[in-house]
Amino acid sequence: MTTERTGTRRAVDIVVRSVLPVVFALIVGGIILLALGKNPLKYYGDIVVNGVLGGNLQNSLVMMTPLLLMAIALIVVFRGQLWNLGYDGQYLLGAVFVGGLAPQLIPKIGLGPSYIALIVLSIAVAAAWTLVPAWLKARFGTNEIITTLVMSSIGVGGTGLLIEYLFQDPAQRTPQTRTMNTADMLPYIPGTKVHVGFIVAIVAAVVFQFILSRTSFGLRLDIFGVNPKAARHVGINSRTMTIVLFLISGGLIGLAAALDVMGQWGYVRNNWNPAYGDTIMPFVFLARLSPVGSIPFVLFYSIFATGGTVASIDSGLSTDFNMVIVALILVFMTITEYVGSKRELGQSYLPDELRDAVRRPFAALTGRSAQA
C-alpha cells in the first residue's frame, strides 16, 4: 500500500511539475498583455478560436507533424545526455533537397517512388550532417553544443547557396526552389485536410516510446546517459552509442523536413527558417523526455502557435509575443524543477548563503527584543 501511495504521489508530482510552468506562463503572459493595454481573455480566446474551432484544429495538426518529429529527435539525444542543437541546419538541408528535387523527380518516376526516395534522401542528408559533431564528441570529447551550432550555421548558409546556384526556380526573381504541384503533395487523411505525415509522426512517437522503454537498446541508452564510464564496464561502446544517437536524431529531423515540405509548403525559399527546435525544446523537458508524453505538449504549442499568430495580428502585437510565452514556460519550468528537486531531497529551497542573509536581520531583531 505504501509503495502504491508513493508511486501515485510521484506520478501526481510529475504531472503538476509539468503543467504548472505552462499555467504560470499563461498568467504572467496575461499580466504582460494587461500592461500593454490588451485584453488577455480576448487574446487567449482568439487563440482557441483560431487554433481549434471551425476546422482550425486541422491546421494545428498539420503544424504539429514536424514539431512532434523534432521533439522525438531531441528526446533521443537528450536521453543520452547529449545535445544536438544543429537542428536548423539539418532541417533546412533535408528540406532544400526535397523541395529542389521533388518537382523534377515526381513526373519521371511517379508519386509513390518519389515520396520514398525523397524521404530517404532527406533522412540521409540530415543524419550525415551530424557526423562531424558526433565523431568529434566520440573521439575527442569535444563539446557537441559548440560543434552542432557551428554545423547548423554552415548548413543554413549552405541551404541558401544550394537554392541560388542549384535549385533556383527560373520563373521566380526571389531565391526559391520550384513549387510542387498541389496534386503532387502528400495525400490527406480521408475526410480531413491533414496530410498523412501526421500519422507518420504519431506512429514514430509510439515506436520510439516502445524502443526507449521496452527494449535492450533503451536500457543501454539509459545506462549510457546516466554514466558513460560505467556504461563501458557493462559492454556498451560509448563512441558507437554517441554516433548512433546523433544519426537517429538527425534522421528524424530529416524526416520532419521531408514531410513538412511535401505536406505543407511545397517549396523552400532562401532565408526561411521555421526554427522548430527552439520553440519545441521546453516542451520536450516538460514531457520528461517521453515521446508519447510529448504529444499533448506539442499539440498545445501547435494550437497556441497557429491561433496565436492570428490573435497577435488582431491585437496589434508582434507575432514574436508567442516566443515570450515559450520563454516564460522555460523560466517557470526551471523554477519548478529546482523547487521539486529540493523538496525531494528534503532541503531548503534557498541556497545556504541566501538563507543566512535572510535570517540574519530577524536574528538580530530577536536578540534586541530579548535584551530589552
Side-chain angles (χ1 to χ4, degrees), residues 30-43 312 314-317:
I31 295 173
I32 294 174
L33 287 169
L34 284 173
L36 294 174
K38 310 298 181 182
N39 186 339
L41 295 179
K42 182 182 183 303
Y43 183 84
S312 297
D314 290 345
S315 300
L317 295 171

Side-chain angles (χ1 to χ4, degrees), residues 184-371:
D184 294 337
M185 304 282 283
L186 289 177
Y188 292 142
I189 299 171
T192 73
K193 292 185 178 180
V194 181
H195 62 78
V196 295
F198 174 74
I199 297 178
V200 175
I202 296 296
V203 170
V206 174
V207 169
F208 274 91
Q209 182 71 35
F210 177 81
I211 291 173
L212 296 179
S213 61
R214 302 296 182 187
T215 67
S216 59
F217 175 79
L219 178 60
R220 294 198 302 271
L221 172 56
D222 289 338
I223 295 172
F224 171 77
V226 172
N227 192 329
K229 293 183 178 179
R232 286 195 290 269
H233 292 291
V234 296
I236 299 173
N237 189 317
S238 297
R239 292 182 178 179
T240 301
M241 180 64 79
T242 298
I243 294 174
V244 167
L245 293 180
F246 270 103
L247 288 175
I248 293 174
S249 179
L252 285 167
I253 293 172
L255 176 60
L259 297 179
D260 202 25
V261 172
M262 293 191 295
Q264 180 176 195
W265 303 109
Y267 71 99
V268 178
R269 70 175 184 272
N270 199 5
N271 296 323
W272 171 72
N273 183 4
Y276 291 140
D278 294 338
T279 56
I280 208 64
M281 190 177 295
F283 302 100
V284 166
F285 291 110
L286 288 176
R288 308 289 162 177
L289 303 183
S290 166
V292 171
S294 68
I295 292 176
F297 290 102
V298 175
L299 176 59
F300 165 81
Y301 176 75
S302 300
I303 293 172
F304 193 88
T306 303
T309 300
V310 180
S312 297
I313 295 173
D314 290 345
S315 300
L317 295 171
S318 169
T319 54
D320 292 335
F321 184 77
N322 295 329
M323 292 303 299
V324 174
I325 302 296
V326 172
L328 288 171
I329 291 174
L330 188 59
V331 170
F332 285 113
M333 180 186 71
T334 304
I335 295 173
T336 53
E337 285 300 311
Y338 174 80
V339 173
S341 299
K342 290 292 186 179
R343 180 185 176 191
E344 289 176 354
L345 296 173
Q347 299 176 351
S348 171
Y349 297 146
L350 299 177
D352 293 339
E353 295 80 1
L354 182 58
R355 187 180 66 250
D356 293 341
V358 172
R359 287 178 175 176
R360 197 173 297 119
F362 292 99
L365 182 61
T366 303
R368 291 175 184 173
S369 299
Q371 293 176 0

